[in-house]
Structures are given as C-alpha cells and as structure tokens.
Amino acid sequence: MTGLHTKYPYRSPGDHIFVQSSCRRLLSGTKQRYEVRYVDSALGATGVVTSGTRSALPAIVVVAGTEVPAAAMTALIDVLGPSRQVFIVDPPGMPGLSDPRYPVRDLWTVYGQWFDTVLAQLTSSPVTVIGYGFGAAIAVSAPRHVHVTDLVLAAPIGLSPIRQTAASRWHRWRWHTDADPQSAERFLRVVTGTGFEPDADLVALYCTIGAHYLPPRIRPLVPDDAITQKAEHVPITIAVGGDDPFLTEPVRGALGGRVPQASIHLLDGVGHLIPLEAPEQLAALADSATSTAPFPAIQRPGRSSTSNHVEDM
C-alpha cells in the first residue's frame, strides 16, 4: 500500500502529541499491568495496549474507534485481563496512540488490510475480535479470516446509515467547538446511558480530544460483499446500547438488514460508549459469542420472524 493518500485530522501540526500524551496519562489508572507497544504498517506506527496473561482462552483483540480510544478502555482491560491476553489497537487517524493520519481513498479496503497486517504481528493463535464504533467496520473489512474465531461488533459505525438525535449532534458540535471540560462532560453524558458518571480523568481526555481533533466525515459504508464474506467465515455478534443516540431504532433496523447472519443484543440502559459503560456485558458477549439462528433485527424476543436475533441484556 505504498503511496497512500492520507490526511491529518487535527487542528494544527503536532496537535496529535497532546492527545497521545493524554492517553498515556489515562492508562496509568488501570488495575492490570499493561504495555504500550508499536507495530509497523503501511499506515505508519500502530499503538497497541497489551495486558493480561496468556491462558487457554483465545486472546481478545479490540479495534478501537473515534469515540473511545484504547487508553479509555481501562475498565474493559480490568475485566478481561485476569483471564486472558488482551490487545487493544488504535487505528491510525483516530485519536489515540497510533500514527495521526487516516486514508482518504478506498477507506475500508485500506483499513481492512491494515488490521490484517497488525493482527499477524500480534499473535498467530486463535483470537476473538471486538470492533468498537468505526473499529467494528474495520474488523468486518479485514479480508483474512484465519485465526479469528468470533467477531463481536459493539456500537458499530460504518455498517448502516447514522440517524443521530438532535441532542447528540448539538453536544458533539459543542464538544469540538468549545473544547472545555464542561462541554466534554456534557457530551459524555448525552451519549451514555443513565447512571454512567464520567470521572475527571476521562473528562480531561475528552477535553483534549475536543480541543485538537477534527473528526473526519466518513460517509461510505462497508460494501455488502465484505460483510457477506466475513459472515460466511466468522460468527458475528452485535451489541447495541438501548440508549445509543447514534444507533437509534431505525438505524438498528437497517443494521440488522445488512448483517442478517448476526446475533444482535440490545443492552438496556447503555448508550454509545459500551466499553466504558458496560465492560462486563461486553466481556460476557466475547466469552459466549457463537453463531445464532437468525431472527429479526429490531423485534423483541418472543416474536417469530426470519431475520436477526435481538436479545436484551
């Protein structure tokens, strides 16, 4: 992938350094031992947060997304780390520890090949892959299926059109415009479910991201053939928060139509930031991910149908 056309999505040259520094500070709060390592790829250096211990269980590889970088997933590390090895990968061009530039052309093809390259350098053993947000679309786009036993997509973005609420759109804009702790905290509260309380360290990270990062407008969806090919080789489980302001009910319906082979779990009282809000539930889905007989995507359990299976958690 030599000669890729990439773009720098930060306000000023060097601004990504502020975000990377903030990510490293946040990682100091995890209960588990961790290591930050870097692997090479055509998109530059890829930051990987490694934790946990090797065991008989498959390792977990998490592909982070724009809303939750790897460093913010310490709660998920704390849940998964005691029983298995965990790798959390920041895609280049998204706020986190990796190279700051993202691909402009052939977005999902390039990102999919990037993930295959990174995964091959992390382990040759079977793994369960968790893709969060845009990371879910990247995981689906990866053309190789060897060693991936299961795929869990948490709050997936890029698989179906987004129809977000007016409040989330407004506070997302204020988060990046005002770039202060108050707007960062308001954004976190709007996009999460009831009962989630962002702590000061998390607010500080999001304040830094809002001040320096300009999220790209990624419009193309993952092609149908990529989804079909992945679903033919790997069982897919999808987790969506019942209070997710980005994946509202019409979006969930479209999502089920695009991935009819998936088992879809609706997490009651959870918003868009699933790795932060419901790490235990996400870990449980990763542990029990299996292919499920299809039922409809947005129907509640108990209704007979012929599409996706939706379960409340």
Side-chain angles (χ1 to χ4, degrees):
M1 291 188 287
T2 306
L4 289 174
H5 183 199
T6 60
K7 188 173 182 179
Y8 184 76
Y10 289 82
R11 296 181 189 274
S12 302
D15 270 10
H16 66 283
I17 296 174
F18 295 103
V19 173
Q20 291 179 349
S21 297
S22 187
C23 286
R24 287 183 175 276
R25 283 194 298 271
L26 190 63
L27 276 173
S28 62
T30 182
K31 300 174 185 176
Q32 302 296 324
R33 294 180 58 188
Y34 71 90
E35 172 190 1
V36 176
R37 56 182 289 196
Y38 290 87
V39 297
D40 292 329
S41 75
L43 288 174
T46 295
V48 183
V49 178
T50 305
S51 185
T53 56
R54 294 183 181 179
S55 69
L57 294 173
I60 298 284
V61 179
V62 183
V63 189
T66 54
E67 305 300 346
V68 183
M73 296 191 187
T74 54
L76 187 60
I77 292 174
D78 293 342
V79 173
L80 292 170
S83 62
R84 64 179 73 194
Q85 196 167 26
V86 184
F87 303 95
I88 306 184
V89 181
D90 274 325
M94 299 185 189
L97 298 167
S98 295
D99 191 276
R101 304 182 70 88
Y102 70 93
V104 175
R105 297 172 183 164
D106 300 321
L107 182 78
W108 301 122
T109 298
V110 174
Y111 265 139
Q113 294 173 356
W114 160 82
F115 181 59
D116 278 345
T117 299
V118 170
L119 184 57
Q121 295 180 70
L122 296 179
T123 179
S124 59
S125 301
V127 298
T128 294
V129 173
I130 299 176
Y132 168 73
F134 279 115
I138 292 173
V140 169
S141 301
R144 295 187 62 197
H145 318 293
V146 179
H147 304 311
V148 178
T149 60
D150 296 286
L151 180 58
V152 179
L153 309 179
I157 302 293
L159 299 181
S160 60
I162 296 301
R163 191 176 300 172
Q164 62 181 304
T165 63
S168 65
R169 185 183 299 110
W170 167 251
H171 285 288
R172 182 183 175 91
W173 179 79
R174 291 293 300 270
W175 169 39
H176 286 282
T177 302
D178 295 350
D180 57 29
Q182 293 74 26
S183 59
E185 182 174 353
R186 282 194 295 267
F187 170 75
L188 286 167
R189 292 187 182 280
V190 166
V191 299
T192 54
T194 54
F196 179 75
E197 290 292 333
D199 61 27
D201 291 336
L202 186 65
V203 171
L205 171 64
Y206 277 74
C207 184
T208 302
I209 293 173
H212 300 286
Y213 185 75
L214 296 173
R217 294 184 177 181
I218 300 176
R219 298 189 180 278
L221 300 177
V222 175
D224 288 335
D225 58 350
I227 297 174
T228 301
Q229 184 183 34
K230 182 65 70 174
E232 286 177 351
H233 293 86
V234 181
I236 298 177
T237 300
I238 298 177
V240 180
D243 295 338
D244 192 324
F246 301 113
L247 300 177
T248 53
E249 189 169 351
V251 178
R252 296 197 294 268
L255 179 62
R258 294 210 73 207
V259 197
Q261 305 89 342
S263 170
I264 301 183
H265 298 254
L266 194 64
L267 311 184
D268 285 338
V270 177
H272 186 64
L273 308 186
I274 293 177
L276 278 62
E277 301 178 69
E280 294 87 358
Q281 290 170 284
L282 184 55
L285 287 176
D287 283 335
S288 62
T290 55
S291 61
T292 306
F295 289 90
I298 53 175
Q299 304 224 9
R300 296 290 185 179
R303 295 186 182 182
S304 61
S305 51
T306 58
S307 184
N308 290 74
H309 185 195
V310 182
E311 298 182 20
D312 293 327
M313 295 290 288

